[in-house]
Amino acid sequence: MNQKAAPPFPHWEWSTEATGDSDGSAALESALPPFAVRENLRALYFSTLSESPDLLPTDSLLVRLVLDEARRTLKHLSRPYQKHVESFETHPLDEISLEDSFELNPFLDSASALRVTTSVPKEWSCVVMVDCSSSMSGEKHLLASIAVAVALLQVPPRDVSVVVFHSSALVVKKMGEATLAEKSVLDFLRSRPKGFTNIALGLTRGIEQASLSAKRRVGLIATDGRHTEGKDPNDVARGFDFLAVLHLHGPGSSLEASQALATAGHGICLEVETFSHLPNQLNQALKRMSRL
């Protein structure tokens, strides 16, 4: 990212007091001005991203715009729910299940014998692995940041992990930690693309993170497909129960390699060429992963 003068955007502090919620989602839609959309996101991304440990105004706004784009993507995607059978005494407003009630007590001679069905959010986990090699510079890395933000917002904080990889691999957000989405997005954005592409290593770190959860090994990898270092990534991909491959088109990309990776990981390959393709493909990936 070249050092240029940052656009004259206003600055909003990260605060939960003003919004009343932990991630600022309730106020973000109305807080950002109408012009702060994709072109402004691009302009800010390609200007200055500070490497200082202190949060600068331009860094804060870039993270906000990435999260805002992620929320637009999630706008029409509902969280997965599953049915639970509970006691009528603890859930008196839910629908009574006669079948479950009769199975427990055929006489139904007390309120404690009644059972109801209630919907609760489904628990699931996901590891997001992002190719941050040199071939992922620019627009691909920006698109990947939206994918990271979407996962951080949609999956419960302790059940999501983010791994970046090139010649080496780094865990940006650890499984089991309730890190703020803003911090994880900023840490990802600061992991600038460089070096060669060791997809197998990235997948290995992803499986390690997935193993920290008691849930199924579900992963989302954003890559342009080609690996230039390490062993065959397809061999490692087989360790996932489901692997969604977000294939980012561009110079040097290999759709065939991404498709083979998805097949090995018992998952799907979703193609992204531009910003306009990203929301639908991410929604498809999330639907498949969360309903396993």
Side-chain angles (χ1 to χ4, degrees):
M1 300 178 189
N2 297 326
Q3 298 293 315
K4 300 178 183 177
F9 293 137
H11 169 52
W12 291 275
E13 295 292 340
W14 292 352
S15 172
T16 58
E17 295 179 359
T19 61
D21 59 303
S22 61
D23 63 3
S25 59
L28 190 55
E29 284 288 336
S30 58
L32 290 175
F35 61 84
V37 289
R38 291 171 181 171
E39 287 308 312
N40 291 325
L41 174 56
R42 282 192 180 95
L44 191 58
Y45 173 84
F46 287 109
S47 59
T48 301
L49 182 62
S50 167
E51 295 182 0
S52 167
D54 299 323
L55 183 67
L56 299 183
T58 51
D59 298 342
S60 177
L61 182 55
L62 176 58
V63 170
R64 285 276 185 152
L65 290 175
V66 169
L67 287 168
D68 185 46
E69 186 65 31
R71 289 189 176 96
R72 293 178 195 275
T73 298
L74 291 169
K75 198 168 186 179
H76 302 292
L77 181 68
S78 60
R79 292 182 181 272
Y81 283 82
Q82 58 188 10
K83 295 289 186 180
H84 271 211
V85 177
E86 303 287 350
S87 167
F88 172 76
E89 292 180 315
T90 57
H91 295 75
L93 299 180
D94 288 308
E95 183 178 355
I96 293 176
S97 172
L98 291 176
E99 181 179 351
D100 290 301
S101 300
F102 277 120
E103 184 176 338
L104 179 69
N105 184 344
F107 301 102
L108 297 181
D109 50 9
S110 67
S112 62
L114 293 175
R115 290 294 179 266
V116 301
T117 55
T118 183
S119 295
V120 297
K122 182 179 179 180
E123 295 183 356
W124 65 292
S125 64
C126 176
V127 178
V128 182
M129 297 149 287
V130 181
D131 181 350
C132 280
S133 60
S134 296
S135 65
M136 289 286 289
S137 297
E139 187 87 353
K140 292 180 187 177
H141 189 241
L142 178 56
L143 288 170
S145 73
I146 308 299
V148 168
V150 163
L152 290 169
L153 294 175
Q154 184 71 0
V155 185
R158 295 186 183 277
D159 292 324
V160 62
S161 175
V162 179
V163 175
V164 298
F165 63 90
H166 35 81
S167 299
S168 58
L170 173 69
V171 179
V172 172
K173 160 68 174 68
K174 294 181 180 179
M175 187 72 73
E177 292 185 355
T179 309
L180 284 175
E182 289 90 344
K183 181 181 184 307
S184 296
V185 169
L186 180 61
D187 289 343
F188 171 78
L189 288 168
R190 286 176 170 170
S191 300
R192 303 182 183 185
K194 61 182 179 180
F196 297 101
T197 313
N198 192 334
I199 296 179
L201 181 58
L203 292 170
T204 299
R205 292 291 175 270
I207 288 177
E208 290 172 357
Q209 287 296 303
S211 299
L212 298 177
S213 169
K215 304 171 183 67
R216 303 185 69 182
R217 292 179 176 179
V218 176
L220 170 68
I221 182 169
T223 180
D224 58 11
R226 290 195 182 278
H227 73 281
T228 57
E229 281 189 344
K231 58 185 179 181
D232 185 351
N234 294 335
D235 293 338
V236 185
R238 295 185 180 95
F240 282 93
D241 295 309
F242 186 88
L243 180 65
V245 179
L246 199 65
H247 176 77
L248 303 179
H249 281 279
S253 66
S254 172
L255 177 58
E256 293 78 10
S258 290
Q259 290 171 333
L261 193 64
T263 299
H266 319 102
I268 54 174
C269 179
L270 301 166
E271 301 176 52
V272 176
E273 294 189 26
T274 65
F275 252 116
S276 61
H277 296 144
L278 188 63
N280 182 58
Q281 301 297 58
L282 280 175
N283 281 334
Q284 283 195 52
L286 288 170
K287 286 178 182 178
R288 292 288 299 274
M289 292 189 297
S290 65
R291 285 163 173 75
L292 292 174

